[in-house]
Amino acid sequence: MTGTSPLIFHHYDFSNFAEKIRLIFGLKQLEWLSVETPMYLPKPDLTALTGGYRKVPVLQIGADVYCDTAMIAAELERRFPDPSIFPGFTAGLAQAITYWAEKSLLWPTARFATGVIADDLPAKFHADRAAMWGVPMNRERYRSAAARHRLQMLAQVAKVESMLKHSGKRFLLGDEICLADFSVYHPLWFVGQCATELTKEFAPFVKLQGWMERVHSVGHGKRMESSAAIANAIAATSRPTTPLGVDLSGNEEGFSTGERVVVTPMDYGQDKVEGQLHRLTQTTISIRLTGQSSGTKNVVSFPFEGYRLKRMAL
Ligand SMILES: N[C@@H](CCC(=O)N[C@@H](CS)C(=O)NCC(=O)O)C(=O)O
């Protein structure tokens, strides 16, 4: 636990991005409260906490709310530096590999696995994802895309096998586990979550098998079940601790604290979060929510990269 404020993790078990963070809890041997969110909209408890951001996972510590796994990983590393997710020289490289894993490896992998199980997923899930991606999506489209995406996935999994084979190390960037391992692992883990028999796709990749077992064995730390009601009560009685201030060189747009801004993910699920600018650095955008009806106003943080910050029209 962190002083008096526990780590509250808003997620669902099936979420691969959440698995990345659950493993970081495992590495750092942290205790955390688990609050399950739905897999598709509406998610009234989550969006009330974040001001509108709908993706999973979200980490809450008191009235400080961290969105996106890049932000969550950075905050966990700041608060609990030992053991590090960046042992030795791995920081920049691990982040570059993360970018590849989550932009390139993940999507064919997810489309393959969800394509195979398309008929088992609820119609509401398909409708929600169609709206989120802004494309027509239905079971038929999911199913028909699976074979194509399978080959794209295997071409990329071969790269992971090659990394492990050529380095001869236990993990991707050495004998110690680092962020790169969690980021490459979570898309592959997702395949087995969709259907265990799909993991046979990885059978030809001998080094990958052992590596996946080693990453899995890190575990999830100490998980304790909780509820959105408890999480809300904690937020309402806490004060945000995120420091106030703008520290961004080249801030040519002249952003300053207190002004009304809107933050939007640049990729998908582009739900807007509005509030007052609280903190701005080269790595972080934090805003204080203004729309909450009572209690403390949460400070919600996003990674600087991949999020658009705009001044609200007066
Ligand atoms: N860039 C985000 C991506 C998170 C993401 O896409 N999560 C998926 C679940 S694995 C999601 O939220 N899907 C839509 C939903 O669950 O409503 C991150 O790193 O956290």
Side-chain angles (χ1 to χ4, degrees), residues 49-180:
L49 184 80
T50 62
Y53 179 84
R54 57 83 55 96
K55 289 186 213 166
V56 160
V58 167
L59 176 68
Q60 172 196 348
I61 306 178
D64 294 293
V65 177
Y66 304 96
C67 299
D68 194 293
T69 56
M71 184 70 236
I72 298 171
E75 187 60 21
L76 289 174
E77 183 71 3
R78 190 184 72 79
R79 293 182 187 241
F80 309 100
D82 195 27
S84 174
I85 55 172
F86 299 123
F89 65 94
T90 57
L93 259 180
Q95 278 154 339
I97 292 176
T98 295
Y99 190 85
W100 166 75
E102 293 176 356
K103 299 284 180 224
S104 195
L105 169 67
L106 170 62
W107 296 112
T109 305
R111 292 294 301 276
F112 160 66
T114 50
V116 174
I117 61 157
D119 288 342
D120 303 330
L121 292 167
K124 280 186 180 166
F125 173 89
H126 291 294
D128 177 81
R129 294 308 192 260
M132 184 174 87
W133 289 100
V135 290
M137 285 263 202
N138 53 39
R139 290 190 169 122
E140 186 44 44
R141 279 179 69 103
Y142 261 91
R143 255 198 315 272
S144 64
R148 178 163 41 93
H149 288 299
R150 174 176 172 271
L151 295 179
Q152 294 293 330
M153 170 186 84
L154 292 176
Q156 306 210 48
V157 174
K159 292 185 193 170
V160 184
E161 178 73 5
S162 163
M163 283 188 228
L164 290 163
K165 203 163 126 192
H166 288 102
S167 80
K169 304 285 186 195
R170 287 166 50 76
F171 295 104
L172 292 177
L173 293 178
D175 281 323
E176 281 182 82
I177 200 163
C178 76
L179 179 73

Side-chain angles (χ1 to χ4, degrees), residues 12 15-17 39 43 54-56 68-69 129 268:
Y12 49 85
S15 161
N16 51 291
F17 278 99
M39 274 172 47
K43 309 183 184 188
R54 57 83 55 96
K55 289 186 213 166
V56 160
D68 194 293
T69 56
R129 294 308 192 260
Y268 52 92

Side-chain angles (χ1 to χ4, degrees), residues 6-312:
L7 301 175
I8 307 175
F9 193 55
H10 300 260
H11 68 138
Y12 49 85
D13 287 331
F14 190 52
S15 161
N16 51 291
F17 278 99
E19 182 64 8
K20 171 181 167 187
I21 299 300
R22 291 186 293 250
L23 288 165
I24 296 178
F25 289 146
L27 176 71
K28 295 180 180 291
Q29 298 190 5
L30 297 172
E31 290 183 6
W32 51 284
L33 300 183
S34 166
V35 177
E36 296 265 347
T37 69
M39 274 172 47
Y40 42 81
L41 294 177
K43 309 183 184 188
D45 294 316
L46 183 71
T47 51
L49 184 80
T50 62
Y53 179 84
R54 57 83 55 96
K55 289 186 213 166
V56 160
V58 167
L59 176 68
Q60 172 196 348
I61 306 178
D64 294 293
V65 177
Y66 304 96
C67 299
D68 194 293
T69 56
M71 184 70 236
I72 298 171
E75 187 60 21
L76 289 174
E77 183 71 3
R78 190 184 72 79
R79 293 182 187 241
F80 309 100
D82 195 27
S84 174
I85 55 172
F86 299 123
F89 65 94
T90 57
L93 259 180
Q95 278 154 339
I97 292 176
T98 295
Y99 190 85
W100 166 75
E102 293 176 356
K103 299 284 180 224
S104 195
L105 169 67
L106 170 62
W107 296 112
T109 305
R111 292 294 301 276
F112 160 66
T114 50
V116 174
I117 61 157
D119 288 342
D120 303 330
L121 292 167
K124 280 186 180 166
F125 173 89
H126 291 294
D128 177 81
R129 294 308 192 260
M132 184 174 87
W133 289 100
V135 290
M137 285 263 202
N138 53 39
R139 290 190 169 122
E140 186 44 44
R141 279 179 69 103
Y142 261 91
R143 255 198 315 272
S144 64
R148 178 163 41 93
H149 288 299
R150 174 176 172 271
L151 295 179
Q152 294 293 330
M153 170 186 84
L154 292 176
Q156 306 210 48
V157 174
K159 292 185 193 170
V160 184
E161 178 73 5
S162 163
M163 283 188 228
L164 290 163
K165 203 163 126 192
H166 288 102
S167 80
K169 304 285 186 195
R170 287 166 50 76
F171 295 104
L172 292 177
L173 293 178
D175 281 323
E176 281 182 82
I177 200 163
C178 76
L179 179 73
D181 297 288
F182 300 130
S183 305
V184 173
Y185 174 87
H186 75 81
L188 306 180
W189 167 89
F190 182 69
V191 172
Q193 294 302 299
C194 287
T196 318
E197 67 269 20
L198 293 183
T199 55
K200 70 175 184 311
E201 298 293 347
F202 303 143
F205 304 109
V206 178
K207 297 283 177 198
L208 184 102
Q209 306 277 341
W211 167 80
M212 284 194 74
E213 277 165 30
R214 287 192 286 280
V215 179
H216 170 80
S217 71
V218 166
H220 290 166
K222 188 166 177 206
R223 167 176 173 158
M224 291 165 289
E225 299 310 317
S226 190
S227 68
I230 292 175
N232 285 342
I234 291 176
T237 52
S238 305
R239 279 169 182 274
T241 60
T242 304
L244 182 76
V246 171
D247 178 12
L248 180 69
S249 63
N251 174 20
E252 284 172 10
E253 288 175 273
F255 283 113
S256 57
T257 55
E259 65 177 320
R260 290 181 60 76
V261 292
V262 52
V263 179
T264 322
M266 286 181 193
D267 47 11
Y268 52 92
Q270 297 179 338
D271 301 285
K272 294 178 169 28
V273 179
E274 295 177 4
Q276 284 177 317
L277 188 62
H278 185 83
R279 180 161 193 245
L280 181 61
T281 72
Q282 205 177 32
T283 58
T284 310
I285 304 170
S286 304
I287 64 174
R288 191 168 188 125
L289 299 187
T290 44
Q292 287 176 307
S293 49
S294 62
T296 319
K297 314 286 188 211
N298 297 343
V299 169
V300 185
S301 295
F302 301 89
F304 185 82
E305 264 178 82
Y307 287 78
R308 185 173 294 115
L309 172 66
K310 278 183 78 173
R311 194 166 272 134
M312 269 169 71

